């Protein structure tokens, strides 16, 4: 595997961040492993926008590992967050789940039919599986386990002792939210909803009532919900009294022994920075605006004796043809959805090649074919050493990690070709193998396994993301009426094609043939380049292609003609073209 260059003026963004993180870690915690962090809330499907929260530190951590430094990538599962609302469109979930609003995510039942013990584990499991496929190495931390086992007890008691200091910091921003919002770029509803997919939850900063401000919120001992208000607290004895506004329950507990509650988000996040010694953690735009949790956390972290991590603000990730993503909407694509139609290398590349503050889209529509073409061209350039250094770095980060290369397709045939074959053969693997074996007669494919997993991804894309009316159905019988109506030039073009089929029966040969017929008809050589031809040849080619599509599949467009001809087979092509 190529060695990724260390920081230079032309180095990629990952290398530059790795330089900064190593330097900062040696200043803050010399001799200790470098700590980078991500936070994910399993409040619903963890979507491809949330994946940037993981991929950004993963790529930096992996670069640090490549340089020989010990590094930990923490993923905090915010599974002790409150269940805020019933997400739309999730199978096995209806409005009856609203009765659980306010409970910890780990206390909410999993969707019906799930094999997992609770809501959080159900959605966490899918993400863990996807991260494994993507080669992401991490240490997972369940915040439910941390809080309920008493791991954070001293931090909680410390926050309560310093609640006045915390309140003073938060008070600087409480009167400013409207003014700050007016200064920001307007956002649409989808963008606002997308903010909810992170651990920010409701950006809660604690309750302030007649008894004062408290940065801690208990879950009710009766109904398990966090609709509670702390009514009294004694620092010496740590006795805390709370009342639940949902069910009316009230009790007094010793906070030094009580493990059924958590620090509010704007205090919880900086507490964890200090506790874990986090050096690098990116944040979404929702956390980075004036007065938001990342900015405020930078001041609160000092109360816990820590420092704010370095790290960029990352931009949204979109989907071709869709608005910005939100995990609160059913059907928003997840990493698992993407990995059904694309190989892990391609998905890693999409995150590696763009700086975190650059937005980009992930294609679930026809654009995926262009992306794969671009990826294959890059692979060829890397192989012949003609790629630019930054492109080589992104490619290297995509195909593997410090631990080694990811599993790959032995014969990476063009994705659009595989998709066309899967479309035409409709699941018949023997037919698919026949066609793919004829693509390159000098080096035929021996087994479909040589084209996997890319073939399986292309087949899944055809079956799940191409509308039925765009699928390819080859004619059963010739279109005799159309064949009879053809003028002499059209008949001649069909004859030239049929005469050349036997000698050109390969992907490369048929490509040369179908593009060459209009050239020959116009008096040029079939080998003539576009620069040697008049513009009207392109028009003639388009007309010829449309005629072939109508005769073969009854439409004026379809899969690439060379692939289509191979798929239909010589004998049937000749019959449909009137021979």
């Amino acid at each position: 595997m190529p060695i990724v260059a260390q920081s230079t003026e032309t180095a990629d963004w990952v290398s530059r961040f790795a330089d900064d993180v190593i330097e900062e870690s040696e200043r803050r915690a010399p001799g200790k492993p470098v700590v980078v962090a991500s936070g994910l809330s399993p409040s619903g499907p963890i979507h491809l926008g949330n994946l940037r929260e993981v991929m950004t530190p993963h790529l930096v951590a992996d670069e640090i590992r490549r340089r020989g430094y010990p590094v930990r990538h923490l993923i905090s599962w915010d599974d002790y967050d409150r269940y805020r609302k019933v997400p739309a469109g999730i199978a096995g979930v209806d409005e009856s789940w609203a009765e659980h609003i306010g409970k910890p995510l780990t206390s909410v039942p999993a969707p019906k039919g799930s094999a997992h013990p609770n809501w959080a584990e159900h959605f966490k499991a899918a993400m863990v599986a996807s991260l494994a496929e993507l080669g992401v190495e991490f240490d997972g931390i369940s915040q439910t386990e941390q809080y309920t086992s008493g791991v954070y007890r001293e931090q909680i008691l410390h926050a309560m002792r310093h609640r006045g200091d915390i309140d003073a910091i938060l008070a600087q921003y409480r009167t400013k939210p409207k003014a700050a919002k007016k200064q920001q770029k307007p956002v649409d509803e989808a963008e606002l909803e997308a903010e909810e997919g992170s651990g920010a939850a409701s950006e809660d900063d604690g309750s302030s009532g007649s008894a004062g401000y408290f940065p801690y919120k208990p879950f009710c001992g009766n109904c398990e919900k966090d609709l509670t208000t702390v009514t009294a607290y004694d620092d010496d004895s740590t006795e805390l009294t709370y009342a639940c506004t949902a069910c009316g329950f009230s009790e007094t507990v010793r906070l030094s022994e009580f493990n059924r509650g958590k620090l509010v988000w704007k205090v919880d996040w900086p507490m964890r920075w200090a506790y874990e010694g986090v050096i690098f953690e990116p944040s979404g735009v929702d956390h980075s605006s004036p007065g938001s949790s990342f900015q405020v956390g930078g001041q609160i972290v000092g109360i816990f004796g820590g420092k704010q991590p370095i790290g960029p603000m990352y931009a949204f990730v979109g989907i071709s043809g869709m608005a910005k993503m939100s995990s609160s909407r059913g059907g928003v694509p997840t990493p698992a959805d993407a990995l059904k139609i694309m190989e892990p290398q391609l998905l890693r590349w999409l995150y590696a090649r763009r700086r975190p503050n650059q937005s980009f889209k992930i294609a679930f529509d026809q654009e995926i074919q262009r992306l794969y073409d671009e990826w294959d061209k890059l692979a060829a350039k890397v192989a012949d050493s003609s790629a630019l250094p930054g492109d080589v770095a992104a490619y290297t980060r995509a195909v593997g990690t410090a631990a080694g290369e990811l599993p790959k397709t032995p014969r990476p045939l063009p994705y659009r070709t595989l998709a066309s074959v899967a479309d035409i053969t409709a699941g018949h693997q023997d037919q698919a193998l026949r066609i793919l074996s004829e693509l390159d007669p000098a080096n035929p494919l021996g087994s479909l396994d040589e084209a996997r997993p890319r073939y399986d991804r292309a087949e899944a894309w055809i079956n799940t993301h191409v509308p039925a009316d765009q699928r390819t159905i080859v004619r059963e019988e010739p279109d005799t009426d159309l064949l009879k109506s053809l003028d002499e030039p059209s008949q001649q073009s069909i004859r030239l094609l049929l005469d050349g089929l036997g000698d050109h029966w390969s992907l490369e040969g048929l490509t040369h043939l179908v593009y060459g017929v209009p050239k020959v008809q116009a008096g040029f050589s079939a080998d003539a380049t576009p620069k040697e031809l008049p513009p009207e040849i392109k028009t003639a080619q388009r007309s010829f292609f449309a005629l072939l599509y109508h005769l073969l599949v009854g439409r004026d467009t379809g899969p690439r003609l060379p692939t289509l001809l191979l798929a239909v087979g010589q004998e049937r092509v000749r019959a449909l073209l009137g021979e």
Side-chain angles (χ1 to χ4, degrees):
M1 183 176 297
I3 299 298
V4 178
Q6 294 196 20
S7 183
T8 68
E9 288 186 5
T10 59
D12 63 314
W13 66 266
V14 179
S15 287
R16 291 194 294 271
F17 274 123
D19 290 342
D20 294 342
V21 172
I22 290 170
E23 182 181 345
E24 189 67 20
S25 184
E26 289 177 344
R27 182 163 49 244
R28 295 188 191 182
K32 294 184 178 180
V34 179
V35 179
V36 306
S38 306
L40 294 173
S41 177
S43 58
I46 300 173
H47 58 60
L48 287 162
N50 301 137
L51 181 59
R52 201 165 205 180
E53 169 80 22
V54 176
M55 289 305 298
T56 302
H58 160 69
L59 292 166
V60 173
D62 189 65
E63 168 63 11
I64 295 171
R65 285 192 191 99
R66 290 174 193 254
R67 298 185 190 181
Y69 293 89
V71 59
R72 295 182 70 207
H73 180 184
L74 308 180
I75 293 184
S76 278
W77 299 104
D78 291 316
D79 52 13
Y80 211 43
D81 281 1
R82 73 190 308 268
Y83 184 63
R84 300 189 303 280
K85 64 180 179 179
V86 183
I90 295 178
V93 175
D94 54 40
E95 285 306 314
S96 67
W97 256 255
E99 69 181 79
H100 302 293
I101 290 174
K103 294 180 182 178
L105 293 169
T106 41
S107 294
V108 178
K112 294 171 184 174
S114 171
H116 300 283
N118 57 60
W119 185 273
E121 290 300 314
H122 174 82
F123 292 106
K124 185 165 76 173
M127 188 62 168
V128 169
S130 294
L131 293 178
E133 194 170 349
L134 286 163
V136 176
E137 180 182 330
F138 68 92
D139 294 338
I141 299 174
S142 164
Q143 292 305 314
T144 296
E145 292 178 8
Q146 295 290 91
Y147 273 106
T148 58
S149 66
V151 168
Y152 295 145
R153 179 169 291 121
E154 289 305 315
Q155 285 68 30
I156 292 169
L157 295 175
H158 184 79
M160 291 293 273
R161 283 194 298 271
H162 293 272
R163 58 189 179 276
D165 299 325
I166 294 171
D167 190 32
I169 292 172
L170 295 170
Q172 299 173 37
Y173 301 94
R174 288 195 184 113
T175 59
K176 300 178 181 180
K178 289 186 178 179
K181 284 287 184 183
K182 288 178 182 177
Q183 295 169 6
Q184 295 175 25
K185 183 179 75 173
V187 293
D188 60 24
E189 181 182 353
E191 188 166 313
L192 290 172
E193 288 190 8
E195 297 176 7
E196 297 178 357
S198 66
S202 60
E203 292 269 320
D204 190 5
D205 67 359
S207 59
S208 186
S210 58
Y213 168 79
F214 299 102
Y216 179 83
K217 186 173 280 289
F219 285 104
C220 177
N222 181 51
C223 69
E224 294 189 82
K225 298 182 178 181
D226 71 342
L227 302 174
T228 58
T229 301
V230 176
T231 57
Y233 181 70
D234 180 74
D235 286 301
D236 294 331
S237 65
T238 75
E239 282 194 353
L240 178 147
T241 302
Y242 72 88
C244 178
T245 58
C247 68
F249 181 78
S250 177
E251 68 174 333
T252 298
V253 299
R254 285 187 181 273
L255 196 52
S256 57
E257 302 167 356
F258 183 75
N259 296 326
R260 198 180 60 248
K262 69 186 294 285
L263 293 171
V264 296
W265 170 251
K266 285 189 176 180
V267 182
D268 173 70
W269 198 14
M271 177 275 290
R272 286 192 245 160
W273 291 339
Y275 183 82
E276 302 289 358
V278 178
I279 304 296
F280 179 85
E281 182 170 5
S283 58
V285 293
D286 53 311
H287 290 317
S288 302
S289 56
S292 66
S293 48
F294 192 79
Q295 182 186 50
V296 174
Q299 297 181 55
I300 293 176
V301 69
I303 291 173
F304 295 97
K307 291 184 178 179
Q308 187 178 38
I310 60 175
M313 177 192 77
Y314 58 86
F316 283 107
V317 176
I319 301 297
S320 291
M322 288 182 60
K324 292 185 178 67
M325 296 178 299
S326 164
S327 61
S328 63
R329 291 188 175 190
V332 174
T334 65
D337 294 325
L339 290 169
K340 289 174 184 174
I341 65 169
M342 63 181 71
E343 294 161 279
Q345 292 89 340
L346 183 72
L347 188 57
R348 286 176 62 91
W349 177 61
L350 295 177
Y351 288 86
R353 70 174 181 159
R354 294 281 184 260
R355 294 191 305 274
N357 63 353
Q358 291 179 311
S359 60
F360 66 90
K361 289 186 177 181
I362 296 176
F364 279 70
D365 57 9
Q366 298 283 343
E367 180 71 6
I368 192 174
Q369 299 186 26
R370 189 198 63 76
L371 276 175
Y372 254 104
D373 288 344
E374 189 179 351
W375 168 251
D376 288 341
K377 286 178 183 176
L378 173 60
K381 287 183 176 181
V382 171
D384 66 16
S385 301
S386 63
L388 296 173
D391 292 333
V392 173
Y395 178 84
T396 302
R397 301 188 193 292
V399 299
T401 69
E405 288 197 1
L406 272 65
K408 61 184 179 181
T409 300
R411 288 277 297 273
L413 300 172
Y415 188 91
R416 63 174 66 244
T417 299
L418 296 175
S420 296
V421 170
D423 180 21
I424 298 162
T425 57
H428 294 283
Q429 296 195 4
D430 55 343
Q431 282 287 86
L433 179 59
R434 174 189 67 78
I435 299 165
L436 294 174
S437 297
E438 293 176 341
L439 295 178
D440 182 5
N443 186 21
L445 200 70
S447 160
L448 269 186
D449 288 341
E450 293 178 44
R452 288 185 163 121
R454 187 180 287 197
Y455 178 78
D456 297 327
R457 303 298 198 270
E459 184 177 41
W461 176 71
I462 282 289
N463 290 334
T464 57
H465 294 282
V466 177
D469 61 359
Q470 295 179 23
R471 297 292 298 272
T472 303
I473 301 175
V474 180
R475 286 183 178 277
E476 294 291 336
E477 301 291 338
D479 187 339
T480 53
D481 290 340
L482 178 56
L483 287 167
K484 289 177 182 178
S485 71
L486 296 180
D487 57 21
E488 180 57 32
S490 296
Q491 291 179 24
Q492 183 191 33
S493 67
I494 297 296
R495 175 51 51 196
L496 285 169
L497 178 74
L498 290 171
D499 288 347
L501 281 183
D503 294 334
H504 293 83
W505 198 254
S506 68
L507 187 64
E508 183 178 355
L510 289 172
T511 301
H512 184 267
L513 180 62
V514 297
Y515 280 91
V517 165
K519 299 177 190 178
V520 172
Q521 274 191 286
F524 297 92
S525 166
D527 295 320
T529 65
K531 291 182 179 179
E532 300 170 331
L533 299 169
E536 52 265 28
I537 293 297
K538 283 190 175 181
T539 303
Q541 286 173 332
R542 284 195 292 268
S543 297
F544 178 53
F545 296 167
L547 172 60
L548 292 178
Y549 282 126
H550 276 288
L551 290 169
L552 296 172
V553 298
R555 300 202 320 252
D556 56 6
T557 61
R560 293 186 70 244
L561 274 169
T563 307
L564 178 60
L565 293 170
L566 285 174
V568 176
Q570 248 194 93
E571 183 178 341
R572 193 173 176 192
V573 167
R574 292 183 183 279
L576 291 175
L577 297 186
E579 186 172 84

